[in-house]
Amino acid sequence: MKKVNLFFSLLFMGLLFVGCSSDDNGGNNPGTENPTGEEPQPEEMEKYVVTATPLATEGVADYILTTDDLSSGSISTEGNGIEQDGTYRYYVTNNDKFFSLLYGQGNPGAVTTYGLNSEGELELLSDFQAETVQAFEAVDDDILMMKISRSSDAPFAYWYRLDTNSLQIAAEGQINTQELADNENGEIAFFSWITQIDDKVYLPYFLVKGCCDDRFGTEFPDEAHVAVYSYPEMEYVETISDDRTSFIGRYFVNGLTADENGDAYAFSSAVATNAGEFNSTLPSAITRIPNGSSSFDSFYFNLEQASGGYVIDSHIYAGNGKFVGIMQNKAEMTSAYGGGKEFAIIDVYNETFEWVSGLPDPSTITTLTYRNNYVSEDGKTVYVGITTETGSFVYNIDVDGAAATQGLEVEGGVITALHSLKASAE
């Protein structure tokens, strides 16, 4: 009897040892595999979205391409991608959706939405008509879009709030831009872009005559204004103004960006005109609105002085107070609508300016992605599309090192936008 009991005791201990060994080596004990009891989360798939205009013919629409890497390799527009309907497309991403907006030259234009499925392919989610807009930006889970009048006879800007969940217009309203401008000459406000800070949207604007043969001219070149509205109600809160710079941003170009602290840095290109002539007496510079403040503070960074005579055309925020600025020699400016082809790292925390090396000779550059660029999640690399006489490439700008290297080539096309999309695996 004792021998039988000893046998079963040894057998039980052996089974217990085997069970413990299996658990330690990744066995199927549910308590070890999923100690929290929560359902395992699917892995996220990410693709870079590259839009490009084919070189073969004129007046053709962009193609939307996808790739796994922007730093090397090549993709082609030939036989690849999704062709857009109509030229003059503009792009924005929000809520893991890619929005393609058709600029309808004053007429309604298509808003086409794509998502990324678990297999890494773009899927059409919606396609509808909306008003052609001159400013648009991701705000919360929306795309806030603005159709802005350039006529003093009809001084209204119409805003539309596109819900990125329902993919429908959730609300709309209007702003009297003549009342907002409130000046003795009857000039009207024209919003340059849209910036969200906390639960408000900041709308920098410049004054324009809105009439005659000089609709975008102004007799008030040395003023900077930002209208603040609550969101999502879009109720007017206040206007923040400054007289140390000309207006913030430019037509269709963002000039106001908030850092991680919510402090808003305002970039002025100093490109105001009157009767076709530049008339600002102030230099291209950066000013600041501290988070929660109703006024600009004393911060002032003279970019023309720091750069040796250049103005800023547009900027890309990388993080930690560092911006990539696209610069233009002031002596060579012929238009208020940009044209800069030289890049610099602008550190607003330390007030430093450094030219980026490793980029093509500006004289060979034909096209840049001025606003549709991509910043890595860690903020260390900014990817820009640059087309030269020899091809169209993504250049990878090392922000800390102020140096660029050539990356992805888009064969047979001109890069127009760089974005990224994520999708959860099913």
Side-chain angles (χ1 to χ4, degrees), residues 167-246:
L167 299 178
Q168 295 180 350
I169 300 297
E172 59 184 84
Q174 67 181 36
I175 298 170
N176 188 316
T177 54
Q178 197 161 55
E179 290 181 0
L180 179 64
D182 189 26
N183 65 82
E184 63 271 20
N185 286 18
E187 294 192 10
I188 62 177
F190 196 99
F191 300 116
S192 58
W193 210 249
I194 302 164
T195 300
Q196 180 183 13
I197 304 176
D198 298 330
D199 59 349
K200 297 180 178 64
V201 290
Y202 287 60
L203 307 179
Y205 65 84
F206 49 97
L207 299 177
V208 297
K209 296 176 184 177
C211 69
C212 323
D213 295 327
D214 193 24
R215 288 188 179 274
F216 275 98
T218 181
E219 295 180 8
F220 302 93
D222 293 335
E223 301 177 4
H225 304 283
V226 182
V228 182
Y229 291 81
S230 65
Y231 198 82
E233 303 85 5
M234 288 299 292
E235 295 178 355
Y236 175 76
V237 176
E238 61 185 339
T239 297
I240 303 174
S241 301
D242 196 3
D243 60 5
R244 293 174 297 168
T245 71
S246 186

Side-chain angles (χ1 to χ4, degrees), residues 115-128:
L116 193 69
N117 65 24
S118 59
E119 297 178 353
E121 299 172 340
L122 288 175
E123 289 186 336
L124 179 65
L125 302 179
S126 71
D127 190 3
F128 62 92

Side-chain angles (χ1 to χ4, degrees), residues 130-177:
E131 292 292 336
T132 289
V133 295
Q134 290 76 35
F136 52 89
E137 192 56 84
V139 179
D140 290 341
D141 276 348
D142 303 326
I143 304 295
L144 180 61
M145 306 184 295
M146 303 200 72
K147 180 180 177 65
I148 310 165
S149 171
R150 62 192 71 180
S151 171
S152 56
D153 293 331
F156 294 96
Y158 297 89
W159 58 265
Y160 307 91
R161 185 163 63 84
L162 171 60
D163 186 320
T164 62
N165 291 305
S166 66
L167 299 178
Q168 295 180 350
I169 300 297
E172 59 184 84
Q174 67 181 36
I175 298 170
N176 188 316
T177 54

Side-chain angles (χ1 to χ4, degrees), residues 213-411:
D213 295 327
D214 193 24
R215 288 188 179 274
F216 275 98
T218 181
E219 295 180 8
F220 302 93
D222 293 335
E223 301 177 4
H225 304 283
V226 182
V228 182
Y229 291 81
S230 65
Y231 198 82
E233 303 85 5
M234 288 299 292
E235 295 178 355
Y236 175 76
V237 176
E238 61 185 339
T239 297
I240 303 174
S241 301
D242 196 3
D243 60 5
R244 293 174 297 168
T245 71
S246 186
F247 57 75
I248 299 163
R250 291 183 292 110
Y251 177 78
F252 223 83
V253 175
N254 179 31
L256 188 71
T257 296
D259 68 0
E260 294 82 354
N261 301 316
D263 297 334
Y265 289 87
F267 292 74
S268 174
S269 301
V271 290
T273 63
N274 189 31
E277 300 290 334
F278 293 112
N279 63 335
S280 176
T281 64
L282 301 172
S284 177
I286 309 173
T287 51
R288 179 175 63 194
I289 304 172
N291 191 8
S293 176
S294 294
S295 62
F296 287 84
D297 67 6
S298 61
F299 177 86
Y300 180 83
F301 189 4
N302 187 328
L303 289 177
E304 277 190 46
Q305 186 178 61
S307 64
Y310 282 72
V311 303
I312 191 161
D313 274 351
S314 61
H315 70 274
I316 310 154
Y317 186 52
N320 297 314
K322 292 185 177 181
F323 295 82
V324 173
I326 302 176
M327 311 295 296
Q328 182 177 15
N329 191 325
K330 188 173 186 177
E332 298 174 359
M333 284 198 315
T334 59
S335 168
Y337 300 102
K341 297 176 181 179
E342 298 181 60
F343 291 74
I345 304 300
I346 301 167
D347 186 334
V348 295
Y349 292 171
N350 298 301
E351 296 187 45
T352 59
F353 181 98
E354 185 176 5
W355 292 108
V356 175
S357 64
L359 293 169
D361 185 323
S363 65
T364 68
I365 296 175
T366 57
T367 307
L368 294 176
T369 51
Y370 281 99
R371 58 162 283 104
N372 288 279
N373 302 291
Y374 178 70
V375 180
S376 64
E377 291 188 3
D378 61 10
K380 293 185 179 298
T381 309
V382 172
Y383 301 88
V384 298
I386 299 179
T387 303
T388 68
E389 299 162 352
T390 59
S392 194
F393 295 86
V394 175
Y395 279 82
N396 317 311
I397 298 177
D398 173 8
V399 176
D400 292 336
T405 55
Q406 190 180 93
L408 178 75
E409 179 182 9
V410 176
E411 298 175 349

